[in-house]
Amino acid sequence: MPSPSSPSSSSPATAQPSAALLRQAVAHLAPVVPILTELGQLFAGAGHEIALVGGPVRDAFLGRTSPDLDFTTSAAPDQTQRLLAGWGDAHWDIGKEFGTIGARRGDVTVEVTTYRADAYDHQTRKPVVAFGDNLEDDLVRRDFTMNAMALRLPSLEFVDPYAGLADLARKVLRTPGSPEVSFADDPLRMMRAARFAAQLGAHLDPAVEQAMRERAKTLQIVSAERIRDEFSKLLLAPQPRAGLEILVETGLADQMLPELPALKLEVDEHHRHKDVYEHSLIVLEQAIALEGPADGPADSVPGPDLVLRLAALLHDIGKPATRKFEDGGGVSFHHHEVVGAKMAAKRLKALRYDKETVKAVARLVELHLRFHGYGEGQWTDSAVRRYITDAGPLLQRLHRLTRSDSTTRNRRKAERLSRTYDELEVRIVRLQEQEELGRVRPELDGNQISEVLGIKPGPLLGRAYKYLLSVRLDEGPIGEEAAKERLLQWWADQPESQTGSTQ
C-alpha cells in the first residue's frame, strides 16, 4: 500500500473537527454509546486497542444512523473471539480467515476485524491476508477517505489521518492512498464510488475518475454476485442517476451493463428520434417519484423498489437492436419491447439476480407499450381484463412504469396521455371490484372439467382449462351452467372427442 503521504491528489490539511461538531456526531451515536464504551473497556482491559471505524463514523457526522457497527482492533482473531464470546449473546467466526469476528447482544450486531494490511494477486481478487499493527495503516487500506475515519474506544478520540472529514464536507470521493493501487486491490471499489455518488451526492476527485477510466476493464475479475449487490445498492439510492452516469462515463458500464451505454444511439442529422439513454434516465427518475412511502401499503409500490427501478432503466434496451430508418423519414423500433424483455432477462441472469426478479423485470419490459394500444379508450372490457391478468401482481408497478415512460415536452400530449391512463385505471378498478380479477379463474375447475368431459388430467385437460379462461376474460362471469355448455361446444370441435382419446 502507498504511504500516508501519497494521497490520490493534493488533500486539505488534516484537522480535528470542532468540539461542537464532534459532540453532535457523538450525540447521534448516543443509542450505542453504552455498547461502544463497554467494548472499549473490554478490549482495553485485555491490553488491546479498538476503534469504531468506517460507515458508522461517517454517518454520525452526516446526522444519519448506520445499520452496522464495524470495529477494528489490534487483537488477533482468536483473542477477539474469546472476548466477544464472553460479551455477546451469540458470536460467529465465519469471517475469521480475514480477521473478522461477529457477535450479537440484544438487538445490536457488531463485527470486529483485526488491523489489516491486505494484498491481492490482482488476477482472481483473492486476498492475501496480512494483519497490521496500528490503526493508521489499517485506515489507509480503506476505499475512500470519508470511510477512513475512526473513533478510538473507550475515549471517543477522533482519528482522521487522511482528511476524510474535510472530504466529507466537500462531498468529494478521494482515496487515502493512490487510487490506482486502491482499485487494483479491489476493482469493485470503482463501482462503490458510483454508489456513493448516488447515495451521498458526492463527486469524484479527478485522480479517482482518471484511475477508474484506466482500470475499468479490471472489473471483469470481480464476481457477478458482488457486482450485482453493488449495482442494486446504487439503484436503490436516492439519486441513482448520478451513479449511473459515472458508470457510463468511466467505462464501467461497458463491463457489467453494456446495454446501458448502447442506448446512446447516434442521433441522425434530422433528429428523428430522442436520445434513448437520456430518456431512460428520465423515466427512472419519474418512476422513483411515483413510488410510495417505505411504510406504505403494497399497492402504493413502497420505495425504493428494485424491480420497478430495474424495469424503468431497462425498458428500452431493445431499441438499438430494432432501430430501422423508414423510407418516409421516420424511425421505427418494431417489437423492441419483446426483444428488450429477452435482453433484460439475459443480462439480469448474468448478474445472478434471483429468478423472481428476472421474471418480473422482463415481464414489465414486455408490457410497457401495451397501454399505447388503448388509443382514446376503445378497448373492450375483454381487453382491459387481459391487461389486468397479463400484469398480474405487477399491475401497480406497470401503472407507474407506463406513466413514467411519457417524457414528451409537448404539454398537451403529456396531459392527454395522463388523462387517458387515468381513465384506464378507473376502468381497471371498476372491473376488479365487479369481478375480482386479481383472482380470476375459469368458472369450472380442473375436477369439474374432467367430470364434464370424462377425461383424465393431462395436456388435453390443460387446453380445456385455457379455453374456459379465455371465455371468462372475454365475456366476464357467465355462470357454471353456461360454462358447461360452452365447454361441451368446444369439446365437440376437438379431434379427441371423435377418437375417444382422453389424453
Side-chain angles (χ1 to χ4, degrees), residues 154-435:
S155 65
L156 297 180
E157 173 195 351
F158 181 62
V159 181
D160 183 19
Y162 308 110
L165 187 59
D167 288 342
L168 183 62
R170 297 188 303 143
K171 292 188 176 181
V172 61
L173 288 162
R174 193 171 56 84
T175 54
S178 163
E180 293 82 7
V181 173
S182 180
F183 298 152
D185 283 349
D186 186 358
L188 190 69
R189 288 175 174 175
M190 296 184 289
M191 283 194 67
R192 203 171 294 150
R195 190 240 299 179
F196 285 134
Q199 288 181 331
L200 305 176
H203 62 275
L204 303 181
D205 175 86
V208 167
E209 181 177 359
Q210 181 63 26
M212 289 170 65
R213 292 178 183 273
E214 293 174 352
R215 300 196 59 82
K217 290 184 179 180
T218 63
L219 191 65
Q220 295 174 1
I221 67 176
V222 180
S223 71
E225 290 81 2
R226 294 184 73 215
I227 291 174
R228 173 203 63 206
D229 291 345
E230 197 62 50
F231 181 56
S232 294
K233 290 176 183 178
L234 187 161
L235 268 187
L236 295 174
Q239 301 172 9
R241 176 179 180 136
L244 293 168
E245 288 177 333
I246 287 175
L247 292 182
V248 171
E249 291 165 5
T250 59
L252 288 169
D254 290 325
Q255 309 305 317
M256 45 75 63
L257 189 65
E259 294 82 1
L260 183 58
L263 293 176
K264 286 191 169 186
L265 297 175
E266 181 179 350
V267 179
D268 61 284
E269 59 180 337
H270 302 294
H271 297 277
R272 288 177 289 186
H273 63 82
K274 66 181 70 176
D275 182 339
V276 184
Y277 170 71
E278 174 67 18
H279 165 75
S280 298
L281 294 180
I282 294 173
V283 171
L284 172 61
E285 291 176 316
Q286 293 184 165
I288 291 171
L290 293 177
E291 291 175 338
D295 58 353
D299 62 2
S300 71
V301 187
D305 187 87
L306 181 62
V307 168
L308 176 60
R309 295 186 181 199
L310 281 168
L313 181 65
L314 303 178
H315 76 285
D316 272 348
I317 62 170
K319 280 192 170 181
T322 57
R323 181 172 66 160
K324 180 180 179 181
F325 292 102
E326 304 291 351
D327 293 338
V331 179
S332 66
F333 304 95
H334 293 310
H335 306 302
H336 78 267
E337 73 281 11
V338 177
V339 172
K342 294 177 180 178
M343 292 174 62
K346 183 178 180 180
R347 176 54 54 193
L348 295 180
K349 287 177 183 176
L351 288 171
R352 302 293 191 271
Y353 278 95
D354 62 274
K355 291 182 180 179
E356 288 304 312
T357 297
V358 173
K359 182 179 178 181
V361 173
R363 187 61 166 160
L364 286 170
V365 172
E366 181 183 1
L367 294 175
H368 84 273
L369 283 184
R370 181 75 66 85
F371 160 71
H372 293 283
Y374 188 69
E376 297 297 326
Q378 297 95 331
W379 276 5
T380 63
D381 282 352
S382 170
V384 177
R385 289 189 194 99
R386 290 187 181 278
Y387 189 77
I388 298 169
T389 54
D390 286 350
L394 299 172
L395 181 61
Q396 294 301 326
R397 290 187 177 102
L398 181 59
H399 285 336
R400 285 154 179 79
L401 177 59
T402 302
R403 288 183 179 278
S404 301
D405 196 23
S406 174
T407 60
T408 178
R409 295 180 181 179
N410 184 317
R411 190 180 67 180
R412 288 186 178 181
K413 181 179 179 181
E415 290 175 350
R416 185 180 73 251
L417 287 170
S418 180
R419 284 196 308 271
T420 304
Y421 205 85
D422 287 343
E423 294 166 2
L424 175 58
E425 285 203 57
V426 169
R427 290 185 66 187
I428 286 172
V429 171
R430 186 179 70 245
L431 280 171
Q432 285 179 318
E433 290 175 347
Q434 292 173 349
E435 305 179 16

Side-chain angles (χ1 to χ4, degrees), residues 103-123:
R104 184 182 67 252
R105 185 170 183 177
D107 296 331
V108 177
T109 298
V110 303
E111 286 192 345
V112 183
T113 302
T114 301
Y115 290 155
R116 295 272 291 274
D118 291 351
Y120 295 83
D121 64 14
H122 298 171
Q123 296 298 320

